[in-house]
Structures are given as C-alpha cells and as structure tokens.
Amino acid sequence: MTDIKGSVALVTGASRGIGKALVQALYERGAAKVYATARNPKSIGHPDAVPLALEVTDQQSVAAAAIAAPDVTILINNAGISLGASFLDSPLDDIRREFEINFFGPLLTTRAFAPILERNGGGHILNMHSVLSWVTLPGVEAYSASKAALWSQTNGLRLALRPRGIGVTGLHVGYVDTDMTAGIDAPKVSPQHVAQVALDGIEADAPEVLADELTRQVKAGLSADITALYPQLAAGA
Ligand SMILES: NC(=O)c1ccc[n+]([C@@H]2O[C@H](COP(=O)([O-])OP(=O)(O)OC[C@H]3O[C@@H](n4cnc5c(N)ncnc54)[C@H](OP(=O)(O)O)[C@@H]3O)[C@@H](O)[C@H]2O)c1
C-alpha cells in the first residue's frame, strides 16, 4: 500500500494535460513534495511543485533527474507523444520517435528510479498506457504499437519489482481532453478524472486501472472473436 499523503512523487510530462492534472491532484491528496518534470521546467505553473528538467529519451537527463530527486517514493511515467504515424506511409523516424518516447522513455526512468524507490522503502510506479494498447485504428498504428509494447513492459516490470517492494500500476484510457486529442471529435474524459483514478489505483496497489467506459468495452472485446474489435473483418462487411 502506498499512501499519497506524505509521499514524494515525480511526474513526467507535467507541463500540461494529464501530467499537470496529476501534479494538482497529488498536492490535493497531501503529497509532501511533487517533482513536476518537463523538457522546459519554466512550463511548470504549480506554485508548490518542484520543477525539474527531464527529457525522457535522454539517458543523461534521466540520470541528472535521479540525482536531483533522491527522495522519490512514487514515479508516474506520464510523458507521451502521438505523431499520427501509420506503418506503411509515415517516415520510419516518426515511428521510432513514438517508441523512443512512449516505450524507451518510461524504461529509462524506471531503471533510474527503481533503486531510489527501493532505498526509500518500496513505493510505486504508474505507467500511462492507452485503450490503444489493446486495439488499433488507422492513423495511430505506431502509437498503438508503442503503447502495446509499454503495456507488456509494465507487465514484466510488475513481476520483477514486486519482490523489491515496488508496486506497478498500468493505466488504460480512451480519449482525454488534452492537446493530444485537440483535433478529435469524440467523447472525452477530463484530465482531472484520469488523475483521480490514477491516484486511486496507486493507493489501492491496483495492477491495472481502466479509466473510462470505452476502455472497459475494449478490454471485454479482447476475449471475443477478433471481429468484435475489428468489425470491418467480419464476413460480408
Ligand atoms: N489524451 C489522450 O486521449 C490520451 C489517451 C490515452 C493515453 N494518453 C497518454 O497519457 C499521457 C499524457 O498525455 P496528454 O494527453 O496529457 O498529452 P499532452 O497534453 O500532449 O502532453 C504530453 C506531455 O508529455 C511531454 N513530453 C512529450 N515528449 C516528451 C519527452 N521526450 N520528454 C519529456 N516529456 C515529454 C510533453 O511535454 P512538452 O510540453 O515539453 O511537449 C507534455 O507534458 C501520454 O503518455 C499519452 O500517450 C493520452
């Protein structure tokens, strides 16, 4: 069990969107300190947060953050990117970039901070997945693949870190009302809602958090025939 009250948290990608809402929610629940990390720390607006520079794809930047934040007990791997890359038509560099940020970024920070969490008595890591870890759509195929790979990374880390006293939560969510989905016209949940269920998941040591109805429906569809998630494959469709 990891209490938010009195914890020291580090949030990646805290400049805006879900990361910014997480920083606010952590303080509302009584966190003692929140390192709000960003590529540009000047973009952190919360008056109590400790701004910290962090580019998640840069090993030196991650190592410097780990030196600057030796008291962390909760790591939230939130930073992510969607370039709208498709497998067949987009530049390969875009696909690689999505994997660098969405898969290797959380891996670098987890490798740097797991020993810190352990030294501080255990603690918790939350990785921000997506409903697209479980289903793909045209135009977000590479993002989807990077989030599926992150889901698998989380599953592996959960087993590896449990004996070291570190809990690991994977959060899946559909559309959230942030810059990332600005061009998408669909029902969206708020970043504040995602932040609340993320912190509930950490406090409950939940392995998995499903943050909205779309995600619950897609997860249910995984055990059905493949046409449940991809109706365009049904005979006669
Ligand atoms: N919005 C959705 O519908 C949705 C749905 C499911 C999952 N998610 C996931 O939730 C997380 C947050 O998404 P969001 O909607 O809040 O996105 P957002 O508003 O676009 O914010 C993304 C955040 O990630 C940071 N970031 C991007 N690349 C980075 C890098 N290389 N190093 C460090 N920070 C970096 C950005 O920093 P800058 O300000 O410096 O760019 C920003 O703070 C992401 O992992 C996303 O994949 C989002």
Side-chain angles (χ1 to χ4, degrees):
M1 283 290 295
T2 301
D3 285 332
I4 304 295
K5 193 171 167 53
S7 66
V8 177
L10 184 143
V11 180
T12 70
S15 58
R16 52 202 170 93
I18 298 168
K20 185 176 176 186
L22 279 163
V23 173
Q24 176 70 30
L26 282 158
Y27 275 118
E28 283 167 7
R29 288 206 194 185
K33 190 196 287 187
V34 181
Y35 294 101
T37 78
R39 292 188 275 200
N40 173 9
K42 291 202 178 101
S43 61
I44 301 298
H46 196 287
D48 301 321
V50 181
L52 197 58
L54 179 57
E55 159 60 64
V56 297
T57 63
D58 177 350
Q59 212 157 349
Q60 285 186 343
S61 174
V62 173
I67 289 169
D71 48 354
V72 168
T73 58
I74 296 174
L75 168 67
I76 301 185
N77 285 310
N78 165 74
I81 198 168
S82 175
L83 297 174
S86 75
F87 286 138
L88 293 180
D89 300 322
S90 297
L92 266 183
D93 280 351
D94 284 3
I95 298 172
R96 289 203 171 96
R97 179 111 186 106
E98 292 192 315
F99 272 81
E100 280 299 327
I101 296 174
N102 296 342
F103 179 83
F104 288 104
L107 184 60
L108 288 182
T109 52
T110 296
R111 286 168 70 123
F113 279 93
I116 292 173
L117 298 185
E118 195 174 12
R119 266 200 309 278
N120 294 332
H124 209 93
I125 297 173
L126 182 136
N127 283 349
M128 196 61 75
H129 304 157
S130 170
V131 70
L132 294 172
S133 307
W134 290 330
V135 66
T136 195
L137 296 170
V140 287
E141 298 146 31
Y143 174 83
S144 212
S146 71
K147 289 291 185 177
L150 177 60
W151 172 49
S152 184
Q153 179 193 135
T154 303
N155 288 335
L157 288 169
R158 188 180 297 114
L159 297 178
L161 293 174
R162 192 180 165 88
R164 294 165 63 177
I166 300 171
V168 178
T169 298
L171 186 148
H172 298 257
V173 64
Y175 298 114
V176 187
D177 193 5
T178 68
D179 294 347
M180 190 175 277
T181 60
I184 297 172
D185 184 17
K188 299 172 191 175
V189 296
S190 70
Q192 290 75 21
H193 166 74
V194 178
Q196 292 301 334
V197 294
L199 300 193
D200 290 346
I202 291 172
E203 292 201 303
D205 194 18
E208 190 168 86
V209 172
L210 310 184
D212 63 350
E213 186 50 34
L214 177 64
T215 302
R216 286 186 280 275
Q217 284 170 12
V218 168
K219 185 169 187 196
L222 284 174
S223 58
D225 185 82
I226 194 163
T227 54
L229 293 183
Y230 301 97
Q232 58 272 50
L233 299 179

